[in-house]
Amino acid sequence: MAKRLSNAIDPFLIAMVATIAIATVLPARGGGLAIAQGASNIAVAGLFLLYGARLSFAETIAGIRHWRLHATVLAATFVLFPALGLAVKATAGPLMGRDLAQGLLYLTLVPSTVQSSIAFTAIARGNVPGAIVSASVSNVAGVFLTPLLVVALMSSVGTAPPLSADAVIKIAFQLLVPFVIGQLIHRWVGSWLIAHKSPTKLVERGSILLVIYAAFSAGMAQHIWSQVSIGRMVALLGACAAILGVVMTILWWASARLGFARADRIALFFCGSKKSLASGMPMAAVLFSASQLGIVVLPLMMFHQLQLLICGIIAPRLGRFRDEAPTAPPAA
């Protein structure tokens, strides 16, 4: 039983909880906070450089040709998710409070994940090259679409500041420019990075932990934990589960109606149902004030772990039954 429990618990979840605890007890202040924020920015830029370096230009071109798959993933990420976010915020918002409800809406506006989307697609024996391109395109598009959606859907209630040219440039230089540089150096380092996944994983998780520490350090000055009760956290968890379940069901059903091959359905299912903590955290750090940041990113952190848990259950089952064509996602 102990062994099963240890296998079920994601070590990264433990690391995130530990980071929040450290920021609560020993928050960075003043110059220390500025250093932590600067280090997290550098780490995130390094992560997107690695993403670009792992993806060959030939794979990018080949994947782009499968435009129906990528367009559907983008529609799920930046249309379906925000629509559900607005609906759930309107219905469950009073139960979780205004700030958490706004954070819930924000998580629906960020791009898809890269690493986990590809990994789960591979486990389920789906279209891995298609997943690589779809997830990458989602992240590049998110550099522009997420800030615009934040302004369009969140500024009306004063949660997000008006979008400035400085914010767009900062996001582009932190995420898009490193990705392009990575594409340019792929011929020299791509093969090594594909064979050795540890550097990308280390930078990805390290950058997230740095952003979390900086965000909750700033949040401590605003007494973040006085705004979050157990009841509100339970309501938030239920809302995240509802959004994830509805998106997964719609994607699996719609992919069959659109005539996608099974391998493409799997890629769409995993790429279209994910939200990226690695992209969402640094964007939030640019788009929101330090006093808002901790509470805004809390729903995204919860959704991130929930999606990993559910997809970790579904992906092996899809892989085992790859020769069948179910009309609904396997039950978790």
Side-chain angles (χ1 to χ4, degrees), residues 12 16 275 277 299-308:
F12 187 47
M16 287 199 299
K275 287 297 178 178
L277 192 63
L300 179 58
M301 293 168 57
M302 180 179 290
F303 189 88
H304 174 81
Q305 292 302 318
L306 182 63
Q307 70 186 9
L308 293 181

Side-chain angles (χ1 to χ4, degrees), residues 178-202:
F179 182 86
V180 172
I181 294 174
Q183 286 275 277
L184 295 176
I185 65 174
H186 169 82
R187 59 181 300 183
W188 294 288
V189 300
S191 298
W192 187 88
L193 287 173
I194 292 172
H196 302 82
K197 298 181 180 180
S198 296
T200 303
K201 187 175 182 180
L202 179 63

Side-chain angles (χ1 to χ4, degrees), residues 140-186:
V140 173
V143 173
F144 306 101
L145 293 179
T146 295
L148 293 176
L149 287 170
V150 166
V151 171
L153 301 180
M154 300 180 69
S155 292
S156 60
V157 292
T159 303
L163 185 63
S164 66
D166 180 67
V168 174
I169 292 172
K170 186 173 181 181
I171 291 173
F173 269 93
Q174 190 173 6
L175 306 182
L176 182 58
V177 172
F179 182 86
V180 172
I181 294 174
Q183 286 275 277
L184 295 176
I185 65 174
H186 169 82

Side-chain angles (χ1 to χ4, degrees), residues 255-278:
S255 63
R257 303 290 82 77
L258 292 171
F260 283 112
R262 182 173 175 78
D264 293 335
R265 294 180 69 192
I266 290 171
L268 171 60
F269 180 80
F270 288 111
C271 293
S273 62
K274 298 286 184 305
K275 287 297 178 178
S276 174
L277 192 63

Side-chain angles (χ1 to χ4, degrees), residues 90 93 213 289 332:
Y213 179 74
S289 67

Side-chain angles (χ1 to χ4, degrees), residues 25-320:
V25 178
L26 297 172
R29 302 182 186 278
L33 180 58
I35 292 173
Q37 291 171 335
S40 66
N41 291 339
I42 293 172
V44 169
L47 173 63
F48 274 77
L49 187 146
L50 291 176
Y51 282 162
R54 283 173 56 90
L55 183 66
S56 73
F57 185 71
E59 286 177 318
T60 303
I61 297 301
I64 288 174
R65 293 172 183 165
H66 199 349
W67 63 269
R68 289 179 67 244
L69 173 62
H70 310 317
T72 309
V73 170
L74 289 175
T77 304
F78 297 112
V79 179
L80 175 60
F81 258 110
L84 289 173
L86 287 171
V88 173
K89 174 179 174 291
T91 55
L95 297 176
M96 65 183 73
R98 174 180 173 275
D99 292 330
L100 278 181
Q102 288 297 105
L104 177 75
L105 177 57
Y106 174 71
L107 84 83
T108 66
L109 309 182
V110 305
S112 178
T113 63
V114 176
Q115 294 288 88
S116 62
S117 293
I118 296 168
F120 287 127
T121 300
I123 292 171
R125 303 193 181 186
N127 182 353
V128 174
I132 291 173
V133 176
S134 284
S136 300
V137 168
S138 175
N139 271 261
V140 173
V143 173
F144 306 101
L145 293 179
T146 295
L148 293 176
L149 287 170
V150 166
V151 171
L153 301 180
M154 300 180 69
S155 292
S156 60
V157 292
T159 303
L163 185 63
S164 66
D166 180 67
V168 174
I169 292 172
K170 186 173 181 181
I171 291 173
F173 269 93
Q174 190 173 6
L175 306 182
L176 182 58
V177 172
F179 182 86
V180 172
I181 294 174
Q183 286 275 277
L184 295 176
I185 65 174
H186 169 82
R187 59 181 300 183
W188 294 288
V189 300
S191 298
W192 187 88
L193 287 173
I194 292 172
H196 302 82
K197 298 181 180 180
S198 296
T200 303
K201 187 175 182 180
L202 179 63
V203 175
E204 179 181 59
R205 298 195 168 192
S207 63
I208 292 172
L209 293 178
L210 281 170
V211 174
I212 290 173
Y213 179 74
F216 280 86
S217 291
M220 287 304 296
Q222 304 299 323
H223 309 288
I224 182 175
W225 296 118
S226 65
Q227 307 173 45
V228 183
S229 65
I230 297 296
R232 288 182 174 181
M233 289 295 288
V234 171
L236 176 61
L237 178 61
C240 288
I243 291 174
L244 182 60
V246 170
V247 169
M248 286 182 163
T249 301
I250 290 176
L251 288 179
W252 193 256
W253 173 85
S255 63
R257 303 290 82 77
L258 292 171
F260 283 112
R262 182 173 175 78
D264 293 335
R265 294 180 69 192
I266 290 171
L268 171 60
F269 180 80
F270 288 111
C271 293
S273 62
K274 298 286 184 305
K275 287 297 178 178
S276 174
L277 192 63
S279 298
M281 292 288 283
M283 287 184 187
V286 175
L287 294 170
F288 300 96
S289 67
S291 62
Q292 298 171 314
L293 187 58
I295 199 74
V296 166
V297 300
L298 193 58
L300 179 58
M301 293 168 57
M302 180 179 290
F303 189 88
H304 174 81
Q305 292 302 318
L306 182 63
Q307 70 186 9
L308 293 181
L309 174 63
I310 299 302
C311 290
I313 295 171
I314 292 177
R317 297 188 180 190
L318 283 174
R320 286 197 298 269

